[in-house]
Amino acid sequence: MLITTLPDKVDDSLPEITIDLDRHTLLKRRWRATASDGTELALDLEEPVTHDTTIAVTDSARYVVKQRPEAVLIIPLPENTDDAARLGWFFGNQHLPVEVRPDCLLVEDLPTLADAIHRNHIAHHHGNEVFQADPHSRSAGHGHGHAPSHNHDEHVHSHGGHEHSHGVAADSIRQAKP
């Protein structure tokens, strides 16, 4: 079944047939999958879909995307505003997808990240959850507001009172200054 548009109306009383997908597939607007009833699906939409989206409706059922739970680190939000600010700085500086919930942050359970969290004495525990990172945190890129085609080999810039450079050429230029 090829799906190029989402249904306008959905009858929630129809039985639900699930399409289980991982988070990375759901970030794409085109993908293929097999529904729980064996139906082969191909999706080609303008935008990616999210967990619990009905992508197709037939006379007898509705096809609903379900994101698979995955290993995550759950970080309780501190009540102290200074600690909360430090936590935000720490995770913002990691350039990783983050899901913000009312009482905690969720991040992908990566061994190196878990080690860094432990070394920095950040309270956390491991879990297995549907991880839905904020759309603005999904890019793991390192952007500075430059044009997309800029080159990190030849510039020095500052961030909040400190200066750093990217690449060998910029380091050489910076070191050559008196």
Side-chain angles (χ1 to χ4, degrees):
M1 173 185 323
L2 175 63
I3 300 164
T4 57
T5 59
L6 295 178
D8 291 330
K9 287 189 167 193
V10 177
D11 180 356
D12 288 336
S13 68
L14 288 172
E16 180 178 288
I17 298 171
T18 59
I19 305 106
D20 290 324
L21 297 171
D22 64 79
R23 170 175 51 98
H24 302 287
T25 300
L26 284 175
L27 294 174
K28 302 173 186 176
R29 62 180 198 85
R30 291 181 177 164
W31 44 261
R32 292 181 177 273
T34 304
S36 60
D37 69 350
T39 301
E40 295 289 326
L41 303 161
L43 197 83
D44 184 4
L45 297 172
E46 293 295 319
E47 299 287 329
V49 296
T50 58
H51 177 70
D52 273 339
T53 299
T54 298
I55 61 169
V57 177
T58 66
D59 292 339
S60 59
R62 56 194 170 96
Y63 289 81
V64 180
V65 169
K66 296 290 184 180
Q67 182 179 325
R68 290 183 200 125
E70 63 185 281
V72 294
L73 298 171
I74 302 166
I75 298 93
L77 292 176
E79 291 183 25
N80 177 296
T81 56
D82 288 345
D83 291 341
R86 282 186 199 91
L87 187 65
W89 174 84
F90 177 84
F91 283 103
N93 207 28
Q94 300 300 316
H95 300 285
L96 296 170
V98 175
E99 179 179 344
V100 179
R101 293 187 177 176
D103 59 344
C104 66
L105 300 177
L106 265 62
V107 294
E108 188 174 2
D109 189 350
L110 302 169
T112 54
L113 182 58
D115 288 345
I117 289 170
H118 183 73
R119 277 193 318 274
N120 283 280
H121 308 285
I122 297 172
H124 68 285
H125 60 279
H126 299 266
N128 196 41
E129 307 242 351
V130 172
F131 176 45
Q132 296 180 301
D134 182 282
H136 301 292
S137 75
R138 286 186 177 164
S139 171
H142 185 78
H144 299 293
H146 303 295
S149 62
H150 83 285
N151 182 332
H152 269 131
D153 290 339
E154 301 178 8
H155 72 273
V156 177
H157 54 203
S158 63
H159 292 279
H162 74 275
E163 183 176 272
H164 72 237
S165 62
H166 291 275
V168 175
D171 285 341
S172 300
I173 293 167
R174 189 167 152 197
Q175 291 172 1
K177 291 181 181 180

